[in-house]
Amino acid sequence: MELRQKPIRKGTIMENTVLFNEYYRNWIDVYKQGAVREVTLNKYHMTSLWVDRLAPDMKICDLNRLTYQRLINAYAELHERQTTMDFHHQLKGAILDAVDEGYLDKDPTRKVIIKGRQPRPKKEKYLNQFQLQTLITSLKLESEISWEWFILLVAKTGMRFSEALALTPQDFDFRKQTVSVSKTWDYKGKGGFLPTKNKSSVRKIPLDWQVSIQFAQLLKDLPSDQPIFVRKKVYNSTVNHVLGRYCRRSQLPVITIHGLRHTHASLLLFAGVSIASVARRLGHSSMTTTQKTYLHIIQELENKDIDLIMRSLSSLNQ
């Protein structure tokens, strides 16, 4: 699609009548289609739908700091601040390209103010060590693969939901007591293997001896290259329902499978495992991600360290 309808000279009024969202959809097709994961591509398309809803008649030439701020404000009235920030970032890439291509004289996103609704109260994201032990003890673990085994494995490894779904028997090295994460399962789409979230997500996770023995027995007769837990279309809600049922039976806070990943990381941090080691085990791209995600726990640990330091110093007398 040819977007430039007339040459644009600096200082002249833009006469381009192309709708901004038409330009944005074309930008997605050219720069994002085939370059990002399908789940990310869907987020860009969702952003396009919101622009259609909030500013259906906005043309490229209409974009300036005021009109862009109004668009962001309209989105922020319906969404939390972080979601609004994501919306802004997905639009900004296309707008900066429009500036580079000469469709806009200035960057209308400069100094934008990000607003948003108050975040909803967060549900309990993780269990403490006693609660996790209660959950694991309550699991009905039988001689064949089930969602109960899936729950146990995520609790013991901290894997992402899609990573655990993609596991095959050949990913386990029972001699070295490790499991390799090298792919994910496309549970949101048509199924099949996909690459990991990032390069850091490719990793080997050490297993405790008990889990190694249990899974060695479970997997011995299964096809080596086929996913262990996938038999048909898998929904995140299905597994969360199983986990929720066990939580309620044991009178525990109801968490999700992703909450088990938080639980795993939290217990490691409270046990004194370094942030660097936790980041590697979780497959985070950097320690910054780990620090941001578990800031509240790190702060609690720092408070404990301060108490320990003061007690140690107070014991030093002249």
Side-chain angles (χ1 to χ4, degrees):
M1 180 181 81
E2 180 60 38
L3 291 180
R4 191 187 299 274
Q5 296 183 350
K6 292 188 178 183
I8 300 171
R9 296 189 301 277
K10 189 173 182 179
T12 63
I13 297 176
M14 181 178 286
E15 296 179 355
N16 194 331
T17 57
V18 173
L19 291 174
F20 168 56
N21 207 28
E22 185 179 350
Y23 173 88
Y24 184 62
R25 282 193 295 266
N26 185 59
W27 180 85
I28 294 171
D29 290 341
V30 172
Y31 293 103
K32 298 302 176 182
Q33 185 77 43
V36 298
R37 291 161 57 112
E38 186 174 354
V39 63
T40 304
L41 184 64
N42 288 338
K43 291 179 181 177
Y44 279 99
H45 287 308
M46 183 60 68
T47 296
S48 176
L49 291 174
W50 273 104
V51 174
D52 262 340
R53 174 178 172 180
L54 299 173
D57 301 321
M58 180 183 287
K59 303 180 182 65
I60 293 180
C61 59
D62 295 331
L63 272 172
N64 54 47
R65 284 187 61 199
L66 181 61
T67 57
Y68 185 71
Q69 185 68 63
R70 283 174 176 164
L71 173 60
I72 293 298
N73 289 351
Y75 186 85
E77 287 180 6
L78 302 169
H79 298 85
E80 294 181 10
R81 188 179 184 279
Q82 184 57 56
T83 309
T84 305
M85 180 70 77
D86 295 340
F87 177 75
H88 159 62
H89 283 155
Q90 292 196 320
L91 289 176
K92 185 174 180 178
I95 291 172
L96 291 180
D97 281 349
V99 174
D100 290 342
E101 292 164 6
Y103 289 98
L104 294 168
D105 289 335
K106 298 179 181 179
D107 174 15
T109 70
R110 190 176 69 90
K111 293 186 177 180
V112 66
I113 305 299
I114 304 298
K115 306 175 185 179
R117 301 175 71 171
Q118 282 293 105
R120 289 172 293 181
K122 302 295 184 181
K123 292 182 178 179
E124 191 73 40
K125 283 188 174 182
Y126 63 93
L127 304 177
N128 61 36
Q129 186 167 358
F130 173 77
Q131 290 169 332
L132 181 61
Q133 182 60 56
T134 302
L135 172 66
I136 290 175
T137 303
S138 73
L139 293 176
K140 190 176 181 181
L141 301 172
E142 299 183 338
S143 59
E144 294 184 353
I145 285 292
S146 63
W147 290 127
E148 282 81 359
W149 286 110
F150 184 92
I151 290 168
L152 176 68
L153 188 63
V154 172
K156 291 292 189 84
T157 63
M159 279 189 233
R160 297 178 178 93
F161 180 69
S162 59
E163 293 172 344
L165 284 180
L167 291 176
T168 64
Q170 64 189 9
D171 292 323
F172 289 79
D173 186 334
F174 296 114
R175 185 173 60 85
K176 296 181 179 180
Q177 292 186 203
T178 62
V179 57
S180 297
V181 177
S182 60
K183 56 195 178 301
T184 62
W185 186 259
D186 183 21
Y187 70 94
K188 292 183 178 179
K190 298 178 181 179
F193 295 116
L194 290 174
T196 54
K197 185 175 183 179
N198 51 57
K199 290 183 179 180
S200 301
S201 297
V202 178
R203 62 202 189 279
K204 291 183 185 294
I205 303 176
L207 300 172
D208 65 75
W209 65 269
Q210 190 173 17
V211 167
S212 292
I213 292 173
Q214 290 170 320
F215 272 83
Q217 184 67 25
L218 284 167
L219 306 182
K220 64 180 182 179
D221 296 323
L222 297 182
S224 63
D225 59 348
Q226 296 300 307
I228 299 166
F229 296 103
V230 179
R231 297 290 180 270
K232 54 183 180 179
K233 176 69 176 176
V234 177
Y235 296 95
N236 185 277
S237 58
T238 302
V239 191
N240 284 335
H241 177 74
V242 175
L243 175 57
R245 188 171 68 242
Y246 276 100
C247 288
R248 283 187 288 272
R249 283 179 183 173
S250 301
Q251 298 183 325
L252 302 173
V254 176
I255 63 168
T256 62
I257 291 294
H258 195 67
L260 275 183
R261 176 172 162 85
H262 285 307
T263 297
H264 182 82
S266 301
L267 294 183
L268 294 181
L269 290 169
F270 276 123
V273 179
S274 70
I275 295 176
S277 295
V278 174
R280 283 194 297 271
R281 189 169 177 90
L282 295 180
H284 283 165
S285 56
S286 71
M287 284 191 292
T288 303
T289 303
T290 313
Q291 289 170 323
K292 286 182 178 178
T293 306
Y294 301 103
L295 178 62
H296 61 295
I297 295 172
I298 294 168
Q299 288 173 336
E300 286 183 48
L301 293 173
E302 286 177 347
N303 290 336
K304 289 183 179 179
D305 287 344
I306 291 172
D307 291 340
L308 180 60
I309 290 169
M310 297 312 296
R311 284 199 302 270
S312 298
L313 291 176
S314 65
S315 65
L316 299 175
N317 299 313
Q318 286 184 325

